[in-house]
Amino acid sequence: MTALTALPAWQSMLAHAGRLRDMDMRAAFASDADRAERFSAEDCGILLDYSKNRLDDAALAAVFELARATKVEARRDAMLSGAHINSTEDRAVLHTALRAPRTASIKVDGVDVVPEVHAVLDRMCAFAGRVRSGEWRGYDGRAITDVVNIGIGGSDLGPYMACEALQDYAAPNLRMHFVSTVDGWQLTTTLAKLDPATTLFIVASKTFTTQETLTNATAAREWLLAKAPDASAVAKHFVAVSTNAEAVARFGIDLANMFGFWNWVGGRYSLWSAIGLPILIYLGEDNFRALLAGAHAMDQHFARTPLERNLPVIMALLGVWYINGMGARTHLVSPYNQPLHRLPAYLQQLDMESNGKSVRLDGSHVDYHTGAVIWGEPGINGQHAYYQLLHQGTELIPIDFIAAVDNPKSSLKHQRILLANFLAQTEALMRGKRPNEVRDELSAQGLAGEALEALLPHKVFEGNRPTNTLLLDRLDPTIFGALIALYEHKVFVQGTIWGVNSYDQWGVELGKQLARTIESELTSIQPITTHDASTNRLLERARKALVARSNS
Ligand code: G6Q
């Protein structure tokens, strides 16, 4: 038994979960007029209603006790003060410093990082301003019309998601493109639409060693130079975002065109840093600063609000409650605003790369489940697809329903229909439809006897399916910033309870190493015998196709 599972608070949570596994949420609402109000919390333009969960006051008290017993507050304070809580890489974890106001002071190893953060941010704003106004010119004197971000993982998902989410606030004269994959199809088809003279590339890579990104950046530079009169065009069309100035210089990007950040910014937590440059160019300085301010407001909320009203703490505890208490293995994110369509993909990385761990900080193996599988799509599309399984399948899948009440670009009629569906789903998942209700309904339709009884079980909905509702006042940069920070802190709290390091990602290394070996084997002519039989055969097949293509 690990220290966690031996805790009385853990045991108490499990006991309550056993007691409430089959709780009747309908009855709980019927007998408690204050349930929705009591099981709601609100700040930063976000209302979280978590009343449609298998919970009561005693169970909630037990999970908050678990947060206290696992010292969530002390570790939170350690993170926010710049302690090296990323122990396997001996680093601070300070994405919160990236959105701290100029007047703040946050020290990493004795050095106040806030002045550096704002110095880079000011340079980014000045550069973005020049691109947006048309003052920054390409090699033939024309202004930039298209910006291509070349980056992957944390250097792609956040900026791409934010540009999509906040596109209503974007400059009308700029188009953004995101190239992440080393399937050259993506770069080729993106470039086919563009004019090199009016295209700006942002090469975004914390390490500047990532194979996919450097391969794409090199190809993009060749594409530019094939049209540009000379190599001086690179300085007008390429900027870099990185922590590795040496590698940026080696690639041939002028360091005057580099925007730096620091090793205490994790890739999946980096959209607030220079990695956010595409967001800043697309949305402009005021909107980008509003995004940072919204995240900062959520940081303040997280740091100062008692656990019982603390939005990320509540969401984290509900996750632990279902994963460890009730055996949930996945968690669905269901945004109803279409511009949030990349949010599930972003949260997949944030959550699964952070808490997809099975070793504790002290190196011991966990004896409980950690991060769930995160998945999702815009909810209204999901309703016409996989929601069937949510309503009547055998899996327990907790869901976050997310929607903005105010949605100016959607007509009143559209918005009414969208919100009606949004609200109806959480109600239906909670209430279900019982056999007697199905019977009445079928009788009213004129069905009776055997025909009715045969159909009845198919039309029963068990209900009691747990959902959180996150109602945003609107989808603007400030509230969106707060929403993302809310999820970041949720992930932190869960990682703390599980005792894992949420800030490393050793698990992605093995595949990268093997790919290097296989890549060299794909160019060799030696028979391949070094792998397992399956990999050897597949490799031969792939090599044949590559050879055939190079000979054609
Ligand atoms: C994020 C991960 C990973 C990383 C990419 C890109 O937390 O570490 O997704 O962001 O592998 O890395 P570079 O930015 O170094 O190219």
Side-chain angles (χ1 to χ4, degrees):
M1 203 184 255
T2 56
L4 176 61
T5 52
L7 284 175
W10 181 267
Q11 294 300 333
S12 159
M13 176 187 75
L14 295 189
H16 283 290
R19 177 175 65 79
L20 293 175
R21 191 174 303 272
D22 299 319
M23 104 169 239
D24 183 348
M25 279 196 236
R26 259 202 222 195
F29 275 104
S31 65
D32 177 0
D34 296 332
R35 182 176 172 89
E37 202 181 325
R38 220 173 49 256
F39 294 165
S40 288
E42 183 168 11
D43 205 357
C44 307
I46 302 171
L47 167 68
L48 166 66
D49 178 332
Y50 58 100
S51 61
K52 295 189 182 88
N53 278 292
R54 299 175 189 175
L55 271 182
D56 61 12
D57 294 300
L60 260 184
V63 290
F64 284 118
E65 183 46 37
L66 179 64
R68 293 202 164 88
T70 49
K71 303 194 171 47
V72 164
E73 288 155 297
R75 192 164 162 87
R76 171 196 66 193
D77 296 345
M79 173 175 76
L80 297 177
S81 66
H84 284 213
I85 66 160
N86 175 355
S87 51
T88 59
E89 296 178 312
D90 192 17
R91 288 175 184 171
V93 173
L94 266 186
H95 40 281
T96 49
L98 300 167
R99 50 233 190 184
R102 224 178 267 280
T103 48
S105 164
I106 302 167
K107 291 194 174 150
V108 177
D109 305 324
V111 179
D112 186 358
V113 297
V114 176
E116 306 173 55
V117 165
H118 280 273
V120 175
L121 180 57
D122 291 344
R123 271 187 67 225
M124 287 164 59
C125 289
F127 173 72
R130 292 178 68 195
V131 174
R132 287 168 62 85
S133 68
E135 186 195 327
W136 183 277
R137 303 273 163 173
Y139 64 77
D140 71 358
R142 281 183 291 156
I144 298 298
T145 56
D146 291 85
V147 178
V148 183
N149 189 75
I150 299 180
I152 195 165
S155 301
D156 166 72
L157 287 158
Y160 184 18
M161 166 192 68
C163 287
E164 289 293 293
L166 298 172
Q167 55 190 281
D168 288 352
Y169 295 82
N173 55 331
L174 282 174
R175 286 179 297 271
M176 307 303 291
H177 312 268
F178 290 83
V179 172
S180 59
T181 165
V182 77
D183 176 353
W185 176 91
Q186 194 184 28
L187 183 70
T188 306
T189 53
T190 302
L191 297 185
K193 294 177 282 197
L194 304 181
D195 178 346
T198 57
T199 299
L200 176 73
F201 292 97
I202 301 174
V203 185
S205 176
K206 181 176 167 183
T207 55
F208 229 78
T209 57
T210 303
Q211 193 184 26
E212 294 88 336
T213 299
L214 293 186
T215 305
N216 281 327
T218 306
R221 191 179 49 192
E222 283 163 10
W223 176 78
L224 171 76
L225 292 178
K227 291 272 171 62
D230 58 63
S232 67
V234 173
K236 297 188 169 86
H237 293 272
F238 272 81
V239 299
V241 175
S242 187
T243 57
N244 186 350
E246 228 171 79
V248 170
R250 222 176 305 126
F251 180 86
I253 294 179
D254 189 340
L255 292 187
N257 292 345
M258 172 182 153
F259 300 91
F261 58 114
W262 306 271
N263 74 6
W264 41 263
V265 182
R268 54 195 172 276
Y269 297 87
S270 65
L271 78 85
W272 326 98
S273 71
I275 291 289
L277 186 61
I279 313 172
L280 175 52
I281 294 176
Y282 196 38
L283 303 183
E285 176 172 350
D286 290 351
N287 287 319
F288 191 73
R289 289 193 188 272
L291 176 85
L292 298 178
H296 178 67
M298 183 54 73
D299 296 340
Q300 299 287 94
H301 168 93
F302 179 49
R304 295 176 181 173
T305 311
L307 299 187
E308 279 73 7
R309 282 184 289 117
N310 197 307
L311 296 166
V313 173
I314 295 168
M315 286 180 63
L317 290 172
L318 286 167
V320 171
W321 170 249
Y322 287 114
I323 293 166
N324 302 112
M326 297 203 183
R329 294 289 165 261
T330 83
H331 185 104
L332 173 61
V333 180
S334 242
Y336 274 65
N337 291 71
Q338 190 58 28
L340 289 177
H341 71 106
R342 291 294 294 170
L343 178 67
Y346 170 83
L347 292 180
Q348 252 171 1
Q349 179 189 33
L350 178 69
D351 199 310
M352 294 166 75
E353 200 169 30
S354 297
N355 287 338
K357 313 277 163 72
S358 48
V359 170
R360 295 168 54 80
L361 285 162
D362 64 8
S364 62
H365 215 272
V366 297
D367 55 356
Y368 43 84
H369 284 276
T370 58
V373 175
I374 307 292
W375 59 290
E377 272 286 314
I380 200 87
N381 293 335
Q383 284 180 211
H384 294 265
Y386 52 77
Y387 271 39
Q388 163 63 37
L389 184 146
L390 306 179
H391 284 286
Q392 290 188 306
T394 52
E395 292 297 313
L396 167 66
I397 303 179
I399 311 166
D400 291 348
F401 276 78
I402 305 169
V405 266
D406 186 20
N407 188 5
K409 274 207 177 164
S410 188
S411 75
L412 261 183
K413 181 180 174 191
H414 280 82
Q415 181 67 352
R416 212 167 22 238
I417 296 171
L418 185 78
L419 289 177
N421 275 278
F422 176 78
L423 297 170
Q425 287 297 326
T426 61
E427 185 180 25
L429 287 158
M430 184 275 288
R431 287 184 64 81
K433 199 188 275 183
R434 299 195 170 151
N436 60 324
E437 293 166 327
V438 177
R439 186 167 282 113
D440 291 349
E441 199 176 278
L442 291 177
S443 307
Q445 290 164 8
L447 222 64
E450 266 182 34
L452 183 150
E453 293 305 327
L455 191 54
L456 187 139
H458 298 279
K459 301 200 104 183
V460 169
F461 291 67
E462 283 171 14
N464 284 322
R465 311 267 166 152
T467 60
N468 290 328
T469 299
L470 289 128
L471 221 46
L472 317 183
D473 288 349
R474 71 199 78 78
L475 185 56
D476 68 13
T478 315
I479 295 176
F480 176 73
L483 178 71
I484 301 309
L486 163 60
Y487 275 101
E488 286 179 345
H489 296 319
K490 172 203 157 176
V491 166
F492 166 86
V493 173
Q494 292 188 329
T496 300
I497 291 173
W498 289 321
V500 299
N501 181 2
S502 304
Y503 301 101
D504 62 11
Q505 55 282 318
W506 303 106
V508 299
E509 293 301 322
L510 180 60
K512 278 193 203 169
Q513 283 168 10
L514 289 179
R516 292 268 180 202
T517 313
I518 291 179
E519 192 197 335
S520 65
E521 287 168 335
L522 284 172
T523 54
S524 90
I525 48 164
Q526 303 300 323
I528 295 162
T529 54
T530 48
H531 304 269
D532 58 89
S534 161
T535 309
N536 286 341
R537 281 188 80 224
L538 295 168
L539 228 156
E540 286 290 4
R541 181 80 166 251
R543 188 161 69 173
K544 252 188 218 148
L546 289 170
V547 169
R549 181 163 162 196
S550 70
N551 291 339
S552 68

